[in-house]
Amino acid sequence: MISITKKNNSDLFVYIAFGFLVAFITYTYVISELSNGYSDYSGHAYIYLPYFFSGSTLAEGFKAVPYCMWHLITLFFYKVLNIALDPSAAYTSCIFAVFSYGVGCFMIDKICKRYGAGYSAVRTAFLSTAFYIAQPLYFYWIGRGERFTGVYSPNPFHNPTLMCARGFSLLAFCLIVDIWGVQSSSEYKGLFFRTEKGLKKYYIYLAIVLFLSAMAKPTFAECFIPAVGIIMLVRLFKAIFKRKGKEYSKHFLNSFLCAVPTLLYIFLQFGAYFLLGGSYGSDDSRIIITRFGEVWSMYSDNIPLSMLLGMAFPIYMVLVDTRFFLKEDQGKLALTVYGIGFLQAMLLGESGGKLAHADFIWPMMSGMLLMYAVSLLRLISMEAGLNKVSDPLSELGSVSDQKSDLRKKIIVAGGWILFLSHVLCGVLFLK
Amino acid sequence: MKKFLPYIILAVFCAGIILFPVKTADEVFRIEFTGNENGVLEGTDCTLYYSTLSPDAFNDDQSISCPVDNEKYYVEFRLDGELNNNIKGLRIDFPAEDQLFCVGGVFVKSAGVLKKRYDPCVFFSEENLKQANDIQGVSPIRDGKVVYIRTGSEDPYIVFSDALVDDVSGHFSHYIITKLLICAVIIVCFFSYKKDIFGLYKNGRNKEGNIDMTEGGEA
């Protein structure tokens, strides 16, 4: 009993230590970005945040930046605790960074427990930190030449609001995976949560988490809700075909109700943004359908190449385990979210001068985040499966079995190499 | 026949991707300057003039200007894909400043991929310069693979030889490798789906196809 407590305490210390590392990385990065007048951080801290005070009303602030979670918390540090603006902005980002790191640890830990991967706290915390840092592959002689021009990231550090939504996005994903699991089988044992006692509270959690993600930045909900809707609609039709439509329509309705507050909030945001003349003061801005890839082409000479650099690890995982991404709930959801985000990036834009802002690329980055998360979780489960196969008895197996094991080991090793290459690019980016 | 149908669909789909007409990619011509105190380029901008089959002369309508940004240490010119097979001559105008600067690299990119990297000493060698106006000296440092150029304050420009122009303008991409890579991804996914290397789909799944997370489930 004493040794278990000691182990738990040392695990907690490891998680906290890595959490401080994440906070330190975020703090130094935000402070350095704030000194760059053209950075997103400067824009949000020095231009949009003052809308919430300095003679303006909260309503004016909301009109200018309807996704105001980062701004309100920064405002709390700045106005209520009287901390200078730069550290206030950095502290806010640190809070959300540590939160999303914590969600990453939670996801990895749950997957390890489910598949018997037996990861130590150090390994779990390291992987969650690495997942937070991972950036697109970068070679100066590929692409536009400037770092990340046209190659987008699952962790766009330079944007305070999308990073603010990161933790909520991952939590919403975990919740829907378990909700779907219970919906498909009453005997389902939750992967991330204890769903044995019913789904009622998880539906409420999902509604809250989705709403908070939209409050941080609506881009995740903009592709997550349609993706969940499409997948569930297909299932509903299948259920109707199998004469189980009545039962499944209840699940469909419950899930839809979770999305209603968020949808209303997004409509309110869009109204403030496009109808009331928010949109960073651009009066003529409205949503338009562009030529396929018109906006992305402004920043990339070769969109498939940009996708490859940004998504090398998830693409590799899709290549080696296509069936997982087409048949499995987690993979299917991540792929659909990315697909919807990709279509938004390729087809939507804002009219006038704001076309170049490429604001509909953000949902795709939320999709990239889920693709990375699912790929990492899948890689962990693959490795765990491999370790189970590699017991001494397997030596008695046939030559073809051993060859198959070797091939699997090479595939898993390739996955880790690619993932860590993304992490290395992230470290070099932050350096 | 039914057995081969997926393969036929796959082949047709891939053929469709390869044959799908796409606009020729732009070609990016970049000259890099070394950042030492003697090498930095002063002035407002550099201009690349190109002559085409018609008109076969340098004029302002056929020019691309690039501002000199000494934080980036390079100037870059984007030649539109429609100029493929149509460029007859290239002339680069440096800022009209009496100065010495150092060229550390010259390369051509298209479709985001480096197509050719030139040794600056070879690129600015005598045989590759058809005409040099108000250029007071071109000094290659072969060991360091850099070339120092001294320009005057009147109208410094260099017209490149026909052979070099043909070489530089012959790298417009038609996205063939990109298309082949897309096909490769689709084909690998197809076979990966069929092969199911990690086999979890066959084992430990419930009827809906999800991993069996119920008590006693294998996964």
Side-chain angles (χ1 to χ4, degrees):
Chain A
M1 187 67 182
I2 291 168
S3 67
I4 289 171
T5 313
K6 271 186 181 174
K7 190 180 179 302
N8 286 343
N9 285 342
S10 65
D11 284 358
L12 193 63
F13 175 78
V14 168
Y15 288 127
I16 290 172
F18 273 91
F20 269 101
L21 177 66
V22 167
F24 173 74
I25 290 168
T26 308
Y27 186 88
T28 50
Y29 180 79
V30 174
I31 293 295
S32 71
E33 281 288 282
L34 284 167
S35 62
N36 172 9
Y38 294 105
S39 71
D40 283 13
Y41 273 98
S42 291
H44 282 282
Y46 301 137
I47 298 173
Y48 309 130
L49 194 66
Y51 279 111
F52 289 91
F53 57 93
S54 65
S56 305
T57 62
L58 271 178
E60 279 180 56
F62 179 81
K63 202 176 88 174
V65 193
Y67 45 99
C68 50
M69 185 184 279
W70 185 88
H71 307 81
L72 292 179
I73 293 177
T74 305
L75 203 62
F76 171 77
F77 283 121
Y78 182 53
K79 283 287 179 188
V80 179
L81 300 184
N82 279 319
I83 298 171
L85 186 55
D86 284 15
S88 295
Y91 291 151
T92 306
S93 292
C94 285
I95 289 172
F96 289 110
V98 173
F99 171 60
S100 68
Y101 152 81
V103 175
C105 287
F106 165 78
M107 292 170 81
I108 293 166
D109 185 55
K110 290 290 177 184
I111 283 286
C112 288
K113 280 181 181 154
R114 169 66 69 188
Y115 291 92
Y119 276 17
S120 65
V122 175
R123 199 162 167 186
T124 303
F126 168 77
L127 275 184
S128 181
T129 309
F131 174 42
Y132 174 72
I133 288 172
Q135 294 294 336
L137 300 182
Y138 170 68
F139 307 97
Y140 77 95
W141 40 268
I142 283 188
R144 280 281 173 107
E146 286 175 41
R147 190 150 198 140
F148 303 133
T149 307
V151 179
Y152 298 104
S153 167
N155 300 312
F157 274 145
H158 65 278
N159 188 267
T161 48
L162 195 62
M163 291 306 279
C164 178
R166 189 179 187 271
F168 300 115
S169 312
L170 294 173
L171 263 185
F173 168 78
C174 296
L175 282 162
I176 200 72
V177 165
D178 272 355
I179 287 172
W180 278 356
V182 176
Q183 286 176 355
S184 63
S185 163
S186 55
E187 290 173 28
Y188 174 88
K189 198 181 161 198
L191 176 60
F192 298 106
F193 302 99
R194 292 181 179 175
T195 49
E196 294 91 334
K197 288 181 182 173
L199 285 179
K200 198 174 171 184
K201 72 174 175 184
Y202 295 107
Y203 280 127
I204 295 168
Y205 290 165
L206 179 63
I208 293 169
V209 165
L210 270 179
F211 186 82
L212 291 176
S213 86
M215 211 176 155
K217 189 152 186 136
T219 51
F220 171 73
E222 280 169 25
C223 52
F224 183 76
I225 292 172
V228 171
I230 288 169
I231 293 172
M232 291 196 77
L233 210 57
V234 171
R235 287 179 182 175
L236 180 65
F237 285 129
K238 278 184 182 172
I240 290 169
F241 191 69
K242 289 177 185 170
R243 296 179 189 279
K244 289 179 181 172
K246 199 176 173 186
E247 190 187 331
Y248 194 79
S249 59
K250 266 188 212 167
H251 297 315
F252 186 84
L253 190 66
N254 288 339
S255 305
F256 175 72
L257 287 175
C258 294
V260 169
T262 312
L263 288 173
L264 290 175
Y265 187 66
I266 289 176
F267 285 131
L268 188 69
Q269 289 183 340
F270 273 51
Y273 212 64
F274 294 109
L275 299 178
L276 300 177
S279 190
Y280 308 127
S282 171
D283 291 335
D284 62 340
S285 185
R286 58 194 169 81
I287 301 174
I288 55 166
I289 294 175
T290 63
R291 283 198 320 275
F292 194 69
E294 184 181 348
V295 177
W296 199 344
S297 299
M298 290 178 182
Y299 302 99
S300 171
D301 288 338
N302 189 338
I303 291 172
L305 180 68
S306 298
M307 287 169 72
L308 182 68
L309 292 173
M311 296 268 292
F313 170 59
I315 288 173
Y316 173 82
M317 292 303 291
V318 171
L319 289 180
V320 299
D321 199 1
T322 309
R323 198 172 277 253
F324 174 83
F325 284 89
L326 294 181
K327 292 283 183 184
E328 187 64 46
D329 280 354
Q330 296 171 44
K332 205 188 292 182
L333 178 61
L335 205 57
T336 313
V337 171
Y338 179 75
I340 288 171
F342 175 76
L343 285 178
Q344 290 186 25
M346 297 301 269
L347 289 170
L348 296 181
E350 285 179 65
S351 60
K354 286 203 73 194
L355 188 69
H357 283 218
D359 281 333
F360 285 95
I361 301 274
W362 297 114
M364 187 184 69
M365 289 194 238
S366 298
M368 287 174 79
L369 175 70
L370 284 198
M371 283 297 286
Y372 268 76
V374 168
S375 299
L376 180 61
L377 298 182
R378 179 67 185 131
L379 188 61
I380 292 167
S381 68
M382 274 179 174
E383 192 188 31
L386 210 59
N387 291 338
K388 275 182 191 165
V389 171
S390 304
D391 61 22
L393 285 175
S394 67
E395 286 173 19
L396 301 171
S398 65
V399 176
S400 66
D401 282 349
Q402 287 176 9
K403 272 187 182 172
S404 168
D405 280 358
L406 180 66
R407 186 170 58 184
K408 287 177 187 173
K409 277 180 184 169
I410 291 170
I411 288 171
V412 169
W416 283 122
I417 289 168
L418 261 182
F419 175 69
L420 292 175
S421 302
H422 282 288
V423 178
L424 178 67
C425 286
V427 172
L428 295 173
F429 170 68
L430 290 166
K431 186 166 69 78
Chain B
M1 183 62 189
K2 201 178 171 185
K3 193 180 164 188
F4 294 108
L5 193 62
Y7 297 97
I8 294 167
I9 292 170
L10 182 69
V12 170
F13 192 62
C14 289
I17 288 172
I18 290 169
L19 297 174
F20 188 77
V22 288
K23 186 179 173 280
T24 306
D26 297 347
E27 189 184 278
V28 176
F29 173 60
R30 182 188 284 195
I31 298 177
E32 290 185 342
F33 306 101
T34 57
N36 63 40
E37 58 185 23
N38 293 323
V40 176
L41 186 69
E42 300 289 340
T44 52
D45 52 29
C46 280
T47 306
L48 183 77
Y49 287 88
Y50 54 89
S51 65
T52 54
L53 294 170
S54 171
D56 186 7
F58 297 117
N59 61 59
D60 287 344
D61 292 339
Q62 297 188 152
S63 69
I64 307 158
S65 283
C66 177
V68 173
D69 179 354
N70 275 325
E71 280 183 14
K72 288 180 178 172
Y73 296 125
Y74 64 74
V75 286
E76 193 173 83
F77 307 97
R78 182 171 290 271
L79 297 160
D80 192 276
E82 287 177 8
L83 291 169
N84 184 27
N85 295 328
N86 201 18
I87 294 176
K88 294 296 287 177
L90 286 172
R91 180 182 118 177
I92 184 159
D93 284 32
F94 296 107
E97 301 256 353
D98 191 356
Q99 63 174 325
L100 178 73
F101 59 85
C102 180
V103 176
V106 179
F107 59 84
V108 173
K109 281 167 65 163
S110 190
V113 179
L114 183 71
K115 291 287 185 177
K116 188 161 184 177
R117 179 186 290 277
Y118 292 93
D119 181 342
C121 299
V122 177
F123 195 85
F124 288 99
S125 62
E126 258 181 47
E127 62 267 28
N128 282 333
L129 306 184
K130 194 175 181 179
Q131 188 190 344
N133 185 65
D134 199 18
I135 301 290
Q136 292 161 2
V138 177
S139 313
I141 312 290
R142 293 199 182 271
D143 286 352
K145 292 195 173 177
V146 294
V147 62
Y148 279 88
I149 299 176
R150 178 170 284 284
T151 57
S153 57
E154 295 296 315
D155 185 18
Y157 67 79
I158 288 172
V159 180
F160 296 108
S161 69
D162 293 346
L164 186 65
V165 170
D166 285 348
D167 195 51
V168 169
S169 61
H171 296 290
F172 286 92
S173 172
H174 301 280
Y175 293 106
I176 298 293
I177 294 173
T178 304
K179 286 176 177 180
L180 288 174
L181 269 176
I182 293 171
C183 290
V185 166
I186 293 166
I187 291 166
V188 172
C189 282
F190 176 80
F191 285 104
S192 167
Y193 184 85
K194 278 184 83 76
K195 192 95 180 166
D196 192 16
I197 299 169
F198 283 83
L200 274 179
Y201 185 65
K202 289 169 195 157
N203 305 309
R205 305 276 173 136
N206 60 21
K207 283 175 189 169
E208 281 73 30
N210 296 315
I211 294 177
D212 189 355
M213 296 289 184
T214 54
E215 292 284 8
E218 201 177 326

